[in-house]
Amino acid sequence: MMAVFEKELRAYFHGVTGFVFSAFLLLFVGIYMMVGCLYGLSPHFEYVLGSTTFIFLIGIPLLTMRSVAEEKRLKTDQLLYALPLSMTRVVLGKYLALLVVLALPMLVMGLYPLLLTSFGEVNLRAAYASLFGFFMLGACLSAIGLFISSITENQVTAAVLCLVTMLVLYFMSGLASYISSTAAASVTAFAVLIVVLSVILWLLTRNTVVSVGVMAVCMAGLFFWYGMDSAAFAGLFPAMMTHLSVFDRFFTIVDGVFDLTAIVYYASIAGVFLFLSVQAMEKRRWSA
């Protein structure tokens, strides 16, 4: 695992990806801190982080697009499959490298609240709790980006798909408000979600029978539940979208409440997508 980790980390900083990502983060957070805290005379560094979550929309696709997709394009993924390592260790090695690249600019950002103490009183607990939450948000999104890279063979395709996913996650709460609260709208949305998840399952397994079978069972269960208690679906899908929003959970921390459930949620989402990444690579390993 450490060999994969060191190889990935060298790749990020022997090229420009690691430097561009770090500069991107530091530039925007620095600008927002200067405008909000120095010119705006605000001691709340946590609000700066809350205002700059949009940088992950570009930063995460940039950081994760080459993780696995580029290996597939260059056929170097065959070397990974030949290693005496499980795909779990390979994925963890790649993911740890992503976390290090993510953490480096945040270590520099950790100096910002200390600099602000030169100009007045700063709530360092809130600032560093928000910085930790910011890191966990990035770690969660990085796992999603790694999974997307593992199911594509072109880093441009991986970047575009990751960008679209990040946009949906970023605007999830806003999109929820446009979905009708009627039971019919919710059941339709759930049906579409089942189809999307079935397509992802097919991409992981390339087994049409299993994918269609899972979709059929889920659809049957959905419509059976709808037939038994249609009132339960009223407003259910918009409420679920709002509750599952990864960005909204970070804003709770920014507001001064260190929400441990948000940290657990980020870690759980990262774990799920790392597991899916392992399955995607295992499938390619045995079909290669």
Side-chain angles (χ1 to χ4, degrees):
M1 185 175 77
M2 292 307 297
V4 175
F5 166 74
E6 292 171 3
K7 170 185 171 294
E8 288 294 307
L9 198 57
R10 283 197 302 270
Y12 282 119
F13 289 104
H14 281 182
V16 298
T17 304
F19 295 106
V20 170
F21 176 79
S22 297
F24 186 69
L25 243 64
L26 293 173
L27 174 64
F28 278 93
V29 173
I31 290 173
Y32 271 74
M33 189 191 76
M34 181 180 67
V35 174
C37 296
L38 298 181
Y39 289 166
L41 303 178
S42 171
H44 299 290
F45 177 69
E46 58 272 22
Y47 293 164
V48 171
L49 297 177
S51 300
T52 53
T53 53
F54 70 89
I55 61 181
F56 286 131
L57 301 183
I58 302 297
I60 295 301
L62 172 69
L63 188 62
T64 62
M65 63 181 183
R66 57 160 299 278
S67 297
V68 182
E70 184 68 359
E71 300 246 27
K72 291 180 181 178
R73 188 182 70 84
L74 297 175
K75 304 301 182 184
T76 54
D77 61 323
Q78 302 300 322
L79 299 176
L80 294 177
Y81 304 140
L83 291 174
L85 293 175
S86 66
M87 287 298 100
T88 300
R89 290 181 174 271
V90 171
V91 169
L92 287 178
K94 288 179 174 289
Y95 185 61
L96 287 177
L98 284 171
L99 293 185
V100 170
V101 177
L102 180 66
L104 289 177
M106 294 195 185
L107 289 176
V108 178
M109 287 158 54
L111 299 175
Y112 294 173
L114 297 177
L115 293 174
L116 291 176
T117 58
S118 302
F119 302 94
E121 186 176 348
V122 177
N123 188 338
L124 294 179
R125 285 186 182 180
Y128 286 113
S130 295
L131 187 59
F132 178 67
F134 195 69
F135 172 77
M136 288 301 297
L137 173 61
C140 169
L141 297 176
S142 295
I144 296 173
L146 179 61
F147 168 66
I148 292 172
S149 182
S150 71
I151 60 174
T152 55
E153 297 190 4
N154 183 286
Q155 61 178 336
V156 175
T157 303
V160 172
L161 289 176
C162 189
L163 174 61
V164 171
T165 303
M166 295 300 113
L167 285 170
V168 170
L169 293 174
Y170 188 77
F171 293 108
M172 184 175 286
S173 294
L175 292 172
S177 65
Y178 288 100
I179 297 177
S180 174
S181 59
T182 63
S186 287
V187 77
T188 301
F190 277 118
V192 171
L193 181 61
I194 289 172
V195 172
V196 171
L197 293 177
S198 299
V199 170
I200 293 174
L201 179 61
W202 180 80
L203 289 172
L204 290 174
T205 63
R206 298 294 178 179
N207 190 317
T208 304
V209 175
V210 171
S211 303
V212 173
V214 169
M215 181 175 65
V217 170
C218 291
M219 286 290 191
L222 174 67
F223 286 107
F224 176 77
W225 182 17
Y226 180 69
M228 294 296 293
D229 186 12
S230 60
F233 284 85
L236 181 60
F237 193 79
M240 186 191 75
M241 288 181 65
T242 302
H243 184 69
L244 294 179
S245 174
V246 293
F247 286 92
D248 280 6
R249 287 177 179 266
F250 173 65
F251 295 139
T252 302
I253 300 176
V254 169
D255 289 336
V257 179
F258 188 73
D259 187 2
L260 188 59
T261 60
I263 304 303
V264 173
Y265 180 67
Y266 290 149
S268 301
I269 293 295
V272 168
F273 279 94
L274 289 177
F275 171 77
L276 293 175
S277 299
V278 171
Q279 299 312 305
M281 294 191 69
E282 286 284 6
K283 174 64 177 64
R284 184 171 176 84
R285 182 183 199 176
W286 294 111
S287 62

